[in-house]
Amino acid sequence: MNYNRLGKTDIKVSELGFGAWSIALDWWGKKIEEDEAKKMLRKAYDSGINFFETGDMYGKGKSEKLIGEVFKDMRNEIVISTKYGYDFSEVEQIGHSELPQKFDEKFTRKALRDSLERLQTDHLDMYGLHNPKLRHIRDDSIFNVLDSFIADESIKTYQVALGPAIGWTQEGLEAMDRPNVSAVQTVYNIIEQTPGNELMRKAEEKNVGILVRVPEASGILTGKVNANTKIDEKDHRSVRKGEWIKASLEKVEQLRPIADRNGLTITELAMKFIMSKKGFASVFPTVVSEEEVINYAGMTDGRYISTSDMKEIEELYNTWPSYELKATSQTN
């Protein structure tokens, strides 16, 4: 396992991180029981993963509790990151519709206290804003509170996690101008490189680490999703329509010769492509079993994509049509 410095901090994170949302929600077509979830967390650690990324809304704190229970006696051996910003206290989590958002000081302080309690720790390595919009990124009062957490050593640093879905370019770019933002998290993969490429360039300039989620393009790059796949409406991937799946599979076939000549599967090419990018810090593939943890860990062997192949991928990507990005309405 290789480890990268997290932006402008001295924190070292495994280039393969464990995105812990899947162990608390059945949004990926599988409900993971608690015993299995704990085994997955332990297997991740045993595989060299030291970076565990979650959010308080995942299962209304369930994901945080699982991490806290598994690693309560190993706190200094792992890096814990969690996020806040959704008020799930009096609502039922149904499907993927967004919950009410709050980032005011009172809510923020309570959210941090609750997360620390669930995680059984007195500090976080990284805290994060969960899917903030442009008005939040431009609100100094929010960042003043986060800075106070750094001052009292409740947290070491903080991130901005962009979402939901892919986009929020301006949020990511402006967040990196905040001096204590050490990471920006975004959807990014070999067939969906926008806005990630632009964010990566600025991240390198600003000494910010890019955290990548959905590196498998919702299963297209692992073979789990094909032209015949029927995705349940409760599955997080249900937003992916048939036209998108068909077009994405065609892109995969265009990438296959590059994978073949490097002796790689499409999944391995996709993961190594991300790890080869400047500005990259860690990637969180969606895992739902111990076997998947092991398989992804095996891809972090220090072999990256050559400059010439990266250039060929870039040129190929530039021939593909653009797609719609989520963005803050100009009226906001």
Side-chain angles (χ1 to χ4, degrees):
M1 182 67 66
N2 291 303
Y3 300 85
N4 297 320
R5 190 163 58 85
L6 183 59
K8 54 183 73 87
T9 74
D10 59 0
I11 301 169
K12 289 290 186 72
V13 296
S14 49
E15 65 180 2
L16 179 69
F18 189 101
W21 71 272
S22 65
I23 61 174
L25 298 164
D26 60 354
W27 285 359
W28 211 249
K30 178 183 178 182
K31 177 176 172 55
I32 300 172
E33 300 300 331
E34 287 194 13
D35 285 348
E36 185 179 2
K38 291 177 181 180
K39 288 178 182 177
M40 289 170 60
L41 289 168
R42 295 188 187 100
K43 182 61 67 176
Y45 176 80
D46 291 342
S47 300
I49 294 173
N50 77 338
F51 190 21
F52 295 85
E53 213 281 332
T54 189
D56 60 4
M57 70 164 286
Y58 300 146
K60 293 190 173 183
K62 180 180 178 181
S63 178
E64 291 180 330
K65 287 179 181 177
L66 289 166
I67 293 172
E69 289 169 12
V70 170
F71 296 117
K72 61 184 176 183
D73 298 322
M74 305 165 60
R75 179 63 186 91
N76 294 328
E77 298 177 44
I78 65 168
V79 176
I80 297 178
S81 169
T82 192
K83 307 180 291 293
Y84 85 101
Y86 286 109
D87 185 358
F88 52 83
S89 60
E90 297 180 8
V91 296
E92 185 179 355
Q93 280 182 293
I94 301 175
H96 316 123
S97 57
E98 275 205 276
L99 303 179
Q101 282 189 300
K102 288 185 180 179
F103 293 100
D104 61 88
E105 181 172 357
K106 182 180 178 181
F107 182 83
T108 298
R109 292 190 180 279
K110 184 180 187 307
L112 177 61
R113 287 196 303 271
D114 291 347
S115 286
L116 291 173
E117 182 177 344
R118 286 188 290 261
L119 287 160
Q120 300 190 45
T121 183
D122 62 356
H123 74 282
L124 295 174
D125 298 288
M126 185 163 67
Y127 204 29
L129 302 180
H130 200 167
N131 298 346
K133 305 307 180 282
L134 202 52
R135 66 183 183 278
H136 302 128
I137 300 299
R138 294 174 175 174
D139 187 341
D140 291 343
S141 67
I142 293 173
F143 293 90
N144 290 340
V145 175
L146 296 175
D147 289 341
S148 76
F149 293 158
I150 293 177
D152 67 20
E153 300 184 347
S154 298
I155 68 174
K156 292 182 180 178
T157 191
Y158 50 83
Q159 68 156 314
V160 168
L162 305 176
I166 189 168
W168 315 105
T169 312
Q170 196 62 30
E171 280 82 349
L173 294 173
E174 292 192 21
M176 286 188 245
D177 292 328
R178 294 280 178 179
N180 284 325
V181 168
S182 296
V184 167
Q185 184 178 155
T186 186
V187 174
Y188 185 70
N189 57 68
I190 200 169
I191 64 173
E192 293 176 309
Q193 298 179 36
T194 307
N197 285 338
E198 185 176 0
L199 295 174
M200 291 261 190
R201 287 191 290 270
K202 182 157 184 177
E204 190 181 5
E205 294 173 8
K206 290 289 188 175
N207 200 13
V208 169
I210 294 295
L211 306 177
V212 174
R213 70 178 188 274
V214 201
E216 66 291 294
S218 301
I220 288 288
L221 299 170
T222 63
K224 283 187 176 183
V225 173
N226 57 49
N228 300 316
T229 303
K230 303 297 182 190
I231 300 175
D232 188 273
E233 63 180 14
K234 292 189 291 185
D235 192 301
H236 207 49
R237 295 165 290 182
S238 61
V239 296
R240 304 293 205 178
K241 304 305 179 187
E243 298 83 0
W244 178 87
I245 292 174
K246 182 176 182 292
S248 297
L249 292 171
E250 291 172 356
K251 293 172 185 176
V252 167
E253 291 312 308
Q254 293 178 59
L255 291 165
R256 196 172 299 281
I258 304 173
D260 288 346
R261 68 169 174 256
N262 283 282
L264 301 172
T265 65
I266 288 294
T267 309
E268 290 169 336
L269 176 71
M271 291 294 289
K272 289 176 180 292
F273 164 79
I274 292 168
M275 295 172 184
S276 301
K277 297 289 289 188
K278 293 179 179 178
F280 161 77
S282 190
V283 55
F284 311 121
T286 303
V287 292
V288 294
S289 68
E290 288 183 80
E291 181 183 12
E292 289 187 346
V293 173
I294 295 168
N295 289 344
Y296 277 114
M299 299 176 196
T300 61
D301 56 9
R303 293 171 53 224
Y304 299 100
I305 305 299
S306 68
T307 302
S308 59
D309 283 342
M310 289 293 282
K311 186 171 180 10
E312 184 175 344
I313 293 169
E314 178 186 359
E315 291 172 348
L316 188 58
Y317 180 78
N318 289 336
T319 68
W320 296 337
S322 60
Y323 47 85
E324 183 180 359
L325 299 175
K326 294 285 188 178
T328 295
S329 168
Q330 294 303 306
T331 60
N332 284 6

